[in-house]
Amino acid sequence: MNVAITGACGLLGAHLAAALSARHRVVGFDRHPWWGERRIELHQGDLGDAKAREAFLADAKPDFLFHCAAIVNVDACEERPAEAYFSNGSLTGLLARAVPSHCRVVYITTDGIFRGDSPLQREIDLPCPRTVYGRSKLHGEWETQLATEHHLIVRTNFYGWSAGTKGTFAEWLYNALANADPVTLFDDFWFTPIYVPELVERILALLAGGHTGVFHVGGGERISKYDFGLRLAAVAGLSTARISRGSIANAAFRARRPHDMSLCSEKIASVLGQPSPGCDAGLIRFLADRERPLEERVANLDSGREMP
């Protein structure tokens, strides 16, 4: 089975590559170098370059395409909307239309496609993004749906340990707590975070079951950023003394953020017959994986590797 992954050296792409490379041929594309112990075939360059993109897909001959690459900096998207709409939207369509007709396309998108006024949004709820980032990712969803019926669209919000080239929120938070640095976390911003190996496990299980369409794949708890920090500190045995409450309304962001980005993941829980992971369970696993190589974090995902 041939697997192509864009953003293969990012947080999610690398965990997917590590999980799949044990049994499948994985060809990745990224600007950055590979950081796993098990080697994959990697094309390095700009995905927006037509020749580089065509060479990647010609080499990969994918049966599955995981499109993880995106511009995810919300304020950068607001400042450069044309770039955001091309990279997150139009480019998605170019990729989805360029793969073989039998290829299954997995598009990784965001909880930011909703307005953020209501908790626990479902797949049937109407998207209404506040930001250029959210609108560009919704554009990518539409492009995927128009390009192929063999699509799986995954809306999510995940965390984990990266290669260090771009730190993640959870990494920054853990390091700040471990160093007893002062941190201010929003108590009026809610999300449903999922630890990235748990996300990989569920994506691959959906593919193994032949599922298509749109799925929300988040954690099992709606939680504020402030409470997430308290829970991480508690699980890690670190002090909460330097954690302060803040309000997203007072933050100096260029793009106006939604207050509630929580997702309802009941659909996938019903389809897979397993509940979405709780916050503490994900954080315990997150901390246990801190010193583990990438491949060890996804070593037990056997159920998802046997894709049809």
Side-chain angles (χ1 to χ4, degrees), residues 1 19 28 32 36 48 83 95 125 130 135 183 188 191 218 270 300 304:
M1 197 76 69
H32 303 287
E83 183 180 346
L95 285 163
D125 291 328
R130 286 183 182 271
R135 291 191 288 272
V183 294
D188 55 355
F191 67 143
S270 175
N300 298 318

Side-chain angles (χ1 to χ4, degrees), residues 12 15-16 19 196-205 298 301:
L12 176 56
H15 282 78
L16 281 165
V196 68
E198 295 174 329
L199 172 60
V200 169
E201 181 178 30
R202 283 157 177 77
I203 292 173
L204 299 186
V298 292
L301 305 188

Side-chain angles (χ1 to χ4, degrees), residues 173-183 238-239 241-243:
L173 181 56
Y174 173 81
N175 289 330
L177 294 172
N179 294 328
D181 296 333
V183 294
L238 298 169
S239 172
R242 307 208 73 187
I243 302 177

Side-chain angles (χ1 to χ4, degrees), residues 74 77-78 80-81 84-85 88 130-137 255:
V74 177
C77 288
E78 210 73 18
R80 302 189 299 275
Y85 283 117
N88 295 342
R130 286 183 182 271
T131 65
V132 170
Y133 170 66
R135 291 191 288 272
S136 68
K137 292 296 287 183

Side-chain angles (χ1 to χ4, degrees), residues 8 10-19 34-38 161 196-197 289 291-299:
L11 179 58
L12 176 56
H15 282 78
L16 281 165
W34 174 242
W35 50 285
E37 292 187 345
R38 187 186 303 123
W161 302 106
V196 68
D289 283 346
E291 302 296 335
R292 289 176 180 163
L294 177 62
E295 287 75 12
E296 288 187 18
R297 300 174 196 163
V298 292

